[in-house]
Amino acid sequence: MNHRSVILAFCLPALLQATSGVAQPIVTAGVPAQLSIREAGTHSIRITLQPLSDTTGLPFSPALVDRPYPAPALALNELSATVRKAVGDFIVTVSPAPLTVTVTTKEGTPVQRLVFGDSTLSFALDDAPVLGLGEGGHKPERGVNWRTAPIEFDRRGRLQDMQPRWQSDAYGSRNPVPLLIGTKGWALFVATPWGQIDLRTAGHGVFIPWKPAAKDTLQQNEHNQGLVGAKGLPPANTVIPGLYDVIVFDARRPAAFMKDVSDLTGPAVIPPRWALGYMQSHRTIKDEHYILGIVDSFRSKRIPVDAVIYLGTGFTPQGWNTKQPSFDFNPAVFHRDPAAVLADFHAQHVRVIVHMVPWDRDKLPSLHGSIPAAPGEIVDAGHIQNYWAQHVVLMKAGVDAFWPDEGDWFNLYERVKRHQLYYQGPLSTYPNIRPWSLHRNGYLGIARWGGWVWSGDTESAWKTLEGQVAVGINHSLSLGPYWGSDIGGFYSNAEKTGELYARWFQFGAFCPSFRSHGRTTMTILPWGWGQSDRGELETSTKPGTDSEVVRRNVLPSEMNNPAITPVVKKYDELRYQLLPYTYTLAWETRATGMPLMRALWLHYPNDPVARGLGSEYLWGRDLLIAPVFEKGATHRSVYLPKGKWYDWWTNKVFDGGASVHRAVDLSIMPIYVRAGAIIPLDPVRQYTGQPVTGPTTLRVYPGANGDFTLYDDDGISQDYLKGKASWIRMTWDDARHTLILRPGAPAGMTSQPVHRAFAVKLMSEAGKAAKNIVYDGKTVAVKL
């Protein structure tokens, strides 16, 4: 079938249904309505079907930035025949009976076709994977062994219930987002209403709007959060029957699609630099001497770390505070003034993050408002400004950041508002220090509030490690760019071994959130597996048996393993060496919408193998990461997209468009570098802010032309929002074997003064000495 035939087949159903004669009113849910279609972003349009009785204007979504939109290019409340109109870069055809909106490019390439039925909305599917839909995966069916089931990456083939929930197994928490990404070049965001998405039928999907039941009108709280009610969903009283608000994207150029998503939902803020370092989480803590001693061990063992995180009492026998929820430091832990103890952490260049649990509805009836309160807001017990005021004493004592947990009972609006709380709140206390917080729940749009999400209470299992790769990719495509998991898995069991921890740590080193957390205290520490003491087991035994302790904890036989710490330290150090590259990715995320952790589809959309792979991913554009998630693995099959690729560890060159079978021992997680890449590599630091005297090495991988813009700023203040940063544009001319460095500030901005030493190394001649240069803001050319 030729291209013209494809277009005809796509549009023909709409054309055949066109009729002429007396105009018929457009109806939705049995009432008169208006269909409005307008530009949304550069590569997207917004299609709104709205009852005429709803006069509130464009529907609200917590995902979307509140900004003016263009007037509708097409506004219809009656239709008798097919209407065809250019809307932005699209051609939109609207036909009646049933109301159908067909979207093509101006050249006639099909993008999407929406059919508004009596109670559903259908859309076109093709034969390519559908990605996105937020964080997590399906709930395993009863009787199915999830440890042997295939991992869900492609979302097709299931009824996606879109039910937010706590979940363990291979996926962790489910934070659904109705952003579907068709990897053949289309995407849909159903901003309104909420609903299920049926992807079980070839050729078309069906969106089934949520119809709140009586139970869904009841506000959930801490005590009934286990019930399947309306937690995590929009408030039931905001649901307007028949209201649809859908954004259709042209996703043939994935980078342009991601920029549109960023523009519509708000660009991601750049995190503090320390948040891209390693974080060590703790559960039970004995006292201040114990927790300071752990930091001393990191420093004496020269294992890099930037932050420690402490759980609250009630979620562990003894935590940083009195029983959660509480803003009071635990006197059993802090024998001195807590501010003095936290100052000791800061003297070691370690940040302190504390676990937070919200009050129940009696003290925190809702979450609403902004900080500072906007005119007209009701500043009551549920206003986030009042709730934030209770945190200020902690920040004044030296707490650097927060880990907001629980709150599963909050509705969707409140969940997003909680991210806003932990961004605007700290800024109201310290206006020029970047906030940071880590959440269990999230939604599209939280990136503008500095939203980081972790996958929740996962099971320690090889299948979970495999699943987390796919979860992280889909999260990064459709919820937000900052994500991570509990390294090693949260729930310990006999499957948790030093080998699993090391493999998970390797993966974690290439996730935005790089953090160990879990049960069985000593096994979450980088050196813990080399000891005999497992630490706190935290599991009660049944009378007369220790079976539960065995089932839910690491086996004693897995301890005293000296092979783990060197592997963990190696990847921790690599994370810190790659800091200039990774911090640049954080800027790219803000500037372009491209996440740090990237589906291969984002850079290889026409590769049918690449776009369906959820077992490997790109770290930025230039590094391909292939986590090892098979116990006792000796080889890892890795697909390399078209082009030449270098093995990070050996510099051996491979042709892409095929799989390679990489031999692996425990020390090797396959990493491949794209030919043409310029990778900045710093000397090893012990914390992200540590000054280093050696130059930044620029690894140049020949075989193709390449470019890289190295970004930097002070790493902690809000001054980057004022353009106080530096950009060095680097280009590699492969034919001339020449690297050129020049000023690279974006249009309309000026780079801050730079004086930086580089050692330039051509990786095809890895044994050859590097060339040392100094860049001081003027163009420099290096012949290699």
Side-chain angles (χ1 to χ4, degrees):
M1 184 180 289
N2 61 31
H3 184 68
R4 193 180 196 88
S5 299
V6 171
I7 297 170
L8 182 60
F10 187 84
C11 298
L12 188 58
L15 296 175
L16 289 177
Q17 290 167 353
T19 58
S20 60
V22 179
Q24 295 296 317
I26 291 176
V27 173
T28 183
V31 299
Q34 176 168 293
L35 177 69
S36 303
I37 304 176
R38 71 191 78 215
E39 295 179 62
T42 307
H43 304 280
S44 55
I45 57 174
R46 190 169 181 177
I47 301 171
T48 308
L49 181 62
Q50 194 165 21
L52 293 178
S53 58
D54 177 18
T55 59
T56 56
L58 277 173
F60 169 78
S61 168
L64 301 176
V65 173
D66 183 13
R67 65 169 179 84
Y69 278 82
L74 194 61
L76 304 169
N77 54 30
E78 60 181 20
L79 190 64
S80 61
T82 295
V83 174
R84 190 171 182 269
K85 176 105 178 182
V87 183
D89 285 339
F90 300 90
I91 299 297
V92 175
T93 303
V94 182
S95 57
L99 180 63
T100 301
V101 179
T102 302
V103 183
T104 70
T105 67
K106 285 186 174 179
E107 297 75 31
T109 302
V111 177
Q112 196 37 263
R113 180 171 179 262
L114 306 181
V115 179
F116 294 90
D118 292 337
S119 57
T120 62
L121 169 66
S122 69
F123 52 91
L125 289 178
D126 48 43
D127 59 354
V130 173
L131 307 181
L133 288 182
E135 183 194 38
H138 65 279
K139 192 173 183 179
E141 297 176 11
R142 185 168 302 201
V144 173
N145 182 356
W146 60 266
R147 281 181 164 85
T148 59
I151 291 297
E152 177 186 313
F153 177 57
D154 180 356
R155 301 297 196 172
R156 294 176 301 164
R158 293 187 185 279
L159 172 64
Q160 299 288 342
D161 62 13
M162 305 300 284
Q163 180 67 51
R165 59 178 172 267
W166 177 94
Q167 192 171 323
S168 181
D169 58 68
Y171 299 107
S173 296
R174 182 73 173 110
N175 283 296
V177 176
L179 174 56
L180 301 93
I181 302 164
T183 53
K184 266 197 175 177
W186 60 271
L188 291 176
F189 175 53
V190 184
T192 299
W194 196 265
Q196 296 182 330
I197 302 174
D198 191 343
L199 300 177
R200 292 175 292 186
T201 303
H204 74 275
V206 179
F207 183 88
I208 307 165
W210 173 50
K211 296 179 180 179
K215 68 179 179 62
D216 298 324
T217 63
L218 302 176
Q219 192 181 52
Q220 290 195 253
N221 55 45
E222 191 273 337
H223 297 289
N224 67 13
Q225 64 176 315
L227 301 177
V228 180
K231 61 184 179 183
L233 305 185
N237 63 4
T238 66
V239 174
I240 298 175
L243 175 62
Y244 289 92
D245 192 28
V246 182
I247 298 176
V248 176
F249 299 86
D250 177 357
R252 290 172 302 154
R253 292 192 296 125
F257 156 69
M258 294 302 295
K259 183 64 167 70
D260 253 21
V261 172
S262 174
D263 289 343
L264 293 171
T265 62
V269 299
I270 298 179
R273 196 190 315 266
W274 63 260
L276 293 170
Y278 176 64
M279 299 185 187
Q280 183 61 62
S281 189
H282 295 269
R283 288 184 60 74
T284 294
I285 49 182
K286 298 171 185 176
D287 56 28
E288 65 184 63
H289 303 293
Y290 172 79
I291 55 180
L292 285 166
I294 295 291
V295 171
D296 289 340
S297 293
F298 271 99
R299 294 296 180 235
S300 65
K301 295 176 185 293
R302 299 194 60 78
I303 298 174
V305 66
D306 261 87
V308 288
I309 308 179
Y310 296 117
L311 200 63
T313 303
F315 288 70
T316 190
Q318 183 162 291
W320 74 269
N321 59 353
T322 55
K323 188 174 181 180
Q324 289 280 31
S326 167
F327 292 90
D328 299 321
F329 287 97
N330 189 344
V333 172
F334 295 90
H335 302 158
R336 295 178 290 151
D337 179 356
V341 178
L342 299 189
D344 288 346
F345 281 101
H346 295 156
Q348 292 267 43
H349 305 284
V350 170
R351 314 282 173 161
V352 178
I353 304 165
V354 296
H355 177 252
M356 301 300 298
V357 172
W359 301 114
D360 203 353
R361 294 292 189 181
D362 57 339
K363 292 185 177 180
L364 192 63
S366 63
L367 282 178
H368 66 90
S370 55
I371 304 174
E377 290 181 358
I378 299 174
V379 185
D380 57 12
H383 195 284
I384 62 173
Q385 181 170 280
N386 279 343
Y387 182 44
W388 172 253
Q390 301 172 58
H391 296 70
V392 172
V393 64
L394 300 178
M395 294 206 77
K396 295 294 185 181
V399 169
D400 296 286
F402 297 93
W403 174 20
D405 194 6
E406 286 281 290
D408 284 359
W409 56 86
F410 289 134
N411 65 43
L412 177 64
Y413 294 4
E414 292 171 319
R415 290 184 175 196
V416 175
K417 190 62 66 174
R418 200 178 185 198
H419 285 267
Q420 183 179 346
L421 158 72
Y422 283 102
Y423 184 71
Q424 291 184 329
L427 284 174
S428 71
T429 304
Y430 295 114
N432 203 31
I433 297 178
R434 294 180 210 174
W436 188 83
S437 57
L438 180 66
H439 297 247
R440 179 183 294 276
N441 299 312
Y443 190 66
L444 183 64
I446 62 170
R448 68 183 183 268
W449 305 122
W452 289 53
V453 173
W454 99 100
S455 59
D457 304 331
T458 54
E459 194 78 24
S460 294
W462 289 97
K463 179 58 71 170
T464 306
L465 175 54
E466 179 187 357
Q468 292 302 288
V469 182
V471 168
I473 298 170
N474 272 326
H475 181 287
S476 298
L477 284 170
S478 58
L479 197 157
Y482 293 105
W483 174 91
S485 62
D486 289 347
I487 291 175
F490 176 75
Y491 286 114
S492 292
N493 55 61
E495 194 174 350
K496 186 174 185 179
T497 63
E499 180 193 5
L500 176 61
Y501 180 81
R503 290 301 192 193
W504 210 314
F505 198 97
Q506 292 167 348
F507 167 57
F510 289 90
C511 290
S513 177
F514 181 29
R515 163 184 166 270
S516 287
H517 180 62
R519 294 190 171 182
T520 314
T521 309
M522 296 307 296
T523 63
I524 62 173
L525 293 171
W527 60 87
W529 293 92
Q531 303 180 177
S532 58
D533 179 18
R534 292 178 291 169
E536 298 289 337
L537 302 184
E538 297 190 57
T539 305
S540 301
T541 60
K542 299 175 183 178
T545 179
D546 63 356
S547 61
E548 187 65 10
V549 170
V550 172
R551 188 176 74 85
R552 301 304 299 176
N553 281 286
V554 174
L555 297 177
S557 59
E558 292 299 328
M559 306 304 291
N560 293 309
N561 186 343
I564 305 307
T565 299
V567 173
V568 167
K569 184 176 181 180
K570 171 182 176 178
Y571 284 84
D572 194 8
E573 290 179 342
L574 180 57
R575 170 75 168 218
Y576 280 75
Q577 288 180 284
L578 283 168
L579 186 62
Y581 179 81
T582 300
Y583 196 65
T584 295
L585 297 185
W587 166 69
E588 287 184 11
T589 294
R590 176 170 179 80
T592 71
M594 291 287 271
L596 292 79
M597 189 177 187
R598 301 180 185 176
L600 268 61
W601 168 75
L602 285 172
H603 290 286
Y604 303 95
N606 298 319
D607 185 330
V609 176
R611 63 191 179 203
L613 279 178
S615 58
E616 59 188 70
Y617 58 96
L618 297 167
W619 186 243
R621 179 191 60 187
D622 294 328
L623 297 179
L624 189 150
I625 310 301
V628 178
F629 43 75
E630 183 179 312
K631 181 179 180 180
T634 57
H635 288 79
R636 169 66 152 94
S637 179
V638 183
Y639 179 76
L640 302 176
K642 186 178 179 180
K644 291 189 179 298
W645 295 85
Y646 286 74
D647 186 309
W648 174 267
W649 307 109
T650 68
N651 288 321
K652 185 177 179 181
V653 182
F654 296 86
D655 290 324
S659 294
V660 296
H661 297 278
R662 177 62 159 92
V664 295
D665 59 25
L666 186 58
S667 71
I668 297 297
M669 177 181 71
I671 302 172
Y672 290 87
V673 191
R674 185 187 62 85
I678 305 161
I679 306 294
L681 204 67
D682 265 358
V684 174
R685 290 176 166 88
Q686 295 306 302
Y687 55 94
T688 55
Q690 184 179 33
V692 291
T693 56
T696 297
T697 298
L698 297 179
R699 288 187 170 191
V700 179
Y701 291 84
N705 291 334
D707 63 89
F708 181 76
T709 297
L710 179 64
Y711 173 86
D712 201 10
D713 58 33
D714 64 22
I716 191 63
S717 79
Q718 296 289 86
D719 288 348
Y720 77 93
L721 296 172
K722 304 171 186 175
K724 292 184 178 181
S726 67
W727 294 264
I728 304 174
R729 176 73 171 172
M730 306 176 183
T731 55
W732 170 248
D733 187 324
D734 199 57
R736 292 181 172 85
H737 264 220
T738 300
L739 180 70
I740 299 175
L741 282 67
R742 58 170 61 93
M749 305 184 79
T750 302
S751 185
Q752 296 286 290
V754 180
H755 182 86
R756 189 159 182 172
F758 294 103
V760 185
K761 195 172 187 62
L762 190 65
M763 298 311 293
S764 60
E765 301 174 0
K768 193 173 179 179
K771 286 193 175 183
N772 294 310
I773 63 169
V774 173
Y775 176 81
D776 60 4
K778 299 177 182 177
T779 299
V780 177
V782 186
K783 179 76 173 178
L784 298 175

